[in-house]
Amino acid sequence: MVNSPVNCLMLVIIGCTTFGFSDSQQFSCVSGPPDYLCPTDSLLQVYLQHEKFCTRYYKCVDGRAIEFQCSYGLFFDLNLSMCTSKFTLCYRANPCLQFVDACRCCVKQFDNTGLAPQNFYVCYNDGNALAQTCPLALDPCNNTTIQLEFVNQKCEQRALKKKQHQAQKNLQKNHREQNHQKAQKNHRGQDHQKDRKNHRAQDHQKAQESLRVLSHQKDREKHRGRQKAQESHQKAQENHRALSHQKGREKHRMKSHQKPQEGLQKAQESQQKTQENHRALSHQKGQEKHRVWSHQKAQESLWKARKNHRV
């Protein structure tokens, strides 16, 4: 929970005069978001009301005022530090301005001379100043609210509270460092285990890959041996076919060469037989002629002898 809206009655101000912001000659010496209302301690939670819009608000983050927007139909309630449906929050009083001589020509941006530690002025160029009060901050470590004080042109917590908070912060830091070291040790142990597991997995993968490569090489060698055996078998078949073809051709040549010789021999034999038959026939004819001639001669000689005998 944070402080209530800025109340001009909390300041000791005499002769408060209201001015409109429409005057083009008047402007604030501080530009941008109200970072001066945010403490440098990042653990403190501070919410701020927007200076113009009731549907917006600021949240202090690392010493800076970050602007946020409420959802549609909601308005920021500073007392609850949250957006609500109360549209009456948009009704605000005009800002209270007080003339401060030190603020002329923006010689100073802030002034808290003679004021309470939590009160200060925001200077304008014409010498007027807007009364402001440092907000309340919520300490989540102790669940308590702290009234911030304006120190070195910024709302900060008191020195004692700051020292206690710094001690708590140091303790938290040491505790965080110890937890971080433990987490690092655990993380290193987990990383070591993961590395060992990964190394084992990589070794297993490498062994599997080497086995796969060896089995693949063996399969390739077997396949090559089969291919070589098939090639040698094909070559043997081709050689056998070539030899059988050559033998067949030689046999055919021999047969084709033997057939005319056999025909010639047969022709010679038939010629010899015909010659022998012719000789035998001629011999028989000669013998028959000789017999006939000798018989005729014998008859003639016999006839002559008979004739001579008759004579």
Side-chain angles (χ1 to χ4, degrees):
M1 183 175 179
V2 295
N3 66 319
S4 60
V6 177
N7 190 355
C8 295
L9 297 177
M10 295 177 62
L11 302 175
V12 182
I13 301 172
I14 300 174
C16 179
T17 307
T18 59
F19 291 88
F21 285 90
S22 61
D23 189 1
S24 61
Q25 300 296 326
Q26 187 185 47
F27 58 87
S28 175
C29 297
V30 181
S31 60
D35 295 337
Y36 51 86
L37 295 175
C38 293
T40 56
D41 192 350
S42 59
L43 294 178
L44 298 178
Q45 297 180 2
V46 179
Y47 290 87
L48 304 174
Q49 193 175 28
H50 200 277
E51 64 274 7
K52 291 183 180 180
F53 304 102
C54 56
T55 57
R56 301 179 186 179
Y57 63 95
Y58 293 104
K59 181 180 179 181
C60 293
V61 179
D62 294 332
R64 296 181 59 189
I66 306 301
E67 184 177 343
F68 290 90
Q69 174 75 42
C70 290
S71 301
Y72 180 77
L74 299 180
F75 309 93
F76 182 72
D77 190 348
L78 186 61
N79 295 324
L80 300 176
S81 299
M82 61 183 297
C83 295
T84 63
S85 59
K86 295 180 181 180
F87 64 92
T88 56
L89 296 170
C90 293
Y91 300 116
R92 303 179 186 177
N94 292 328
C96 183
L97 297 179
Q98 170 70 31
F99 181 79
V100 179
D101 187 61
C103 290
R104 287 183 179 181
C105 299
C106 292
V107 176
K108 289 184 178 181
Q109 291 181 332
F110 307 99
D111 185 37
N112 63 339
T113 305
L115 301 178
Q118 67 271 18
N119 299 328
F120 63 97
Y121 290 113
V122 179
C123 295
Y124 281 76
N125 64 324
D126 58 355
N128 290 299
L130 177 64
Q132 287 277 19
T133 301
C134 288
L136 294 174
L138 176 63
D139 188 354
C141 298
N142 301 324
N143 198 18
T144 57
T145 56
I146 301 172
Q147 177 61 58
L148 301 179
E149 297 179 358
F150 192 76
V151 180
N152 295 327
Q153 297 187 353
K154 198 172 183 65
C155 291
E156 298 285 355
Q157 59 180 332
R158 294 177 184 176
L160 181 60
K161 293 284 185 180
K162 192 171 183 179
K163 288 181 181 179
Q164 292 177 355
H165 192 69
Q166 187 67 29
Q168 290 180 357
K169 192 174 181 180
N170 292 331
L171 289 174
Q172 289 179 356
K173 186 177 180 181
N174 294 329
H175 185 65
R176 287 175 185 173
E177 288 179 354
Q178 290 177 359
N179 292 332
H180 183 66
Q181 289 177 358
K182 289 180 181 179
Q184 282 184 346
K185 288 181 180 179
N186 295 328
H187 186 66
R188 287 173 184 173
Q190 291 177 359
D191 290 339
H192 183 65
Q193 290 179 357
K194 287 181 180 179
D195 292 336
R196 289 181 66 184
K197 288 181 180 179
N198 293 328
H199 186 66
R200 289 175 183 174
Q202 289 177 359
D203 291 338
H204 184 65
Q205 288 179 357
K206 288 180 180 179
Q208 285 183 347
E209 288 178 358
S210 61
L211 288 174
R212 288 175 185 173
V213 171
L214 289 173
S215 61
H216 184 65
Q217 288 179 354
K218 288 181 180 179
D219 293 335
R220 288 181 67 183
E221 289 177 357
K222 288 180 181 179
H223 184 66
R224 288 177 182 174
R226 290 175 184 173
Q227 286 182 349
K228 288 181 180 179
Q230 288 179 357
E231 289 176 357
S232 61
H233 183 66
Q234 288 178 358
K235 287 181 180 179
Q237 286 182 350
E238 290 177 357
N239 294 327
H240 182 69
R241 289 174 185 172
L243 290 172
S244 62
H245 183 66
Q246 287 179 359
K247 288 180 180 180
R249 289 181 67 183
E250 288 178 358
K251 287 180 180 180
H252 182 70
R253 287 175 185 175
M254 292 293 291
K255 287 180 180 180
S256 61
H257 182 68
Q258 287 176 359
K259 282 182 180 180
Q261 288 182 356
E262 289 177 354
L264 183 61
Q265 287 178 358
K266 288 180 179 180
Q268 289 178 356
E269 288 177 356
S270 62
Q271 188 178 5
Q272 287 177 1
K273 286 181 180 180
T274 52
Q275 287 178 359
E276 288 177 356
N277 293 327
H278 183 69
R279 287 175 185 173
L281 289 172
S282 61
H283 183 67
Q284 288 177 0
K285 287 180 179 180
Q287 286 181 356
E288 287 179 356
K289 285 181 179 180
H290 183 69
R291 287 175 185 174
V292 171
W293 182 75
S294 62
H295 182 68
Q296 287 178 358
K297 287 285 186 181
Q299 284 181 357
E300 286 178 357
S301 61
L302 182 60
W303 184 72
K304 285 180 179 182
R306 284 179 179 177
K307 188 177 180 181
N308 292 326
H309 182 67
R310 286 176 182 175
V311 172

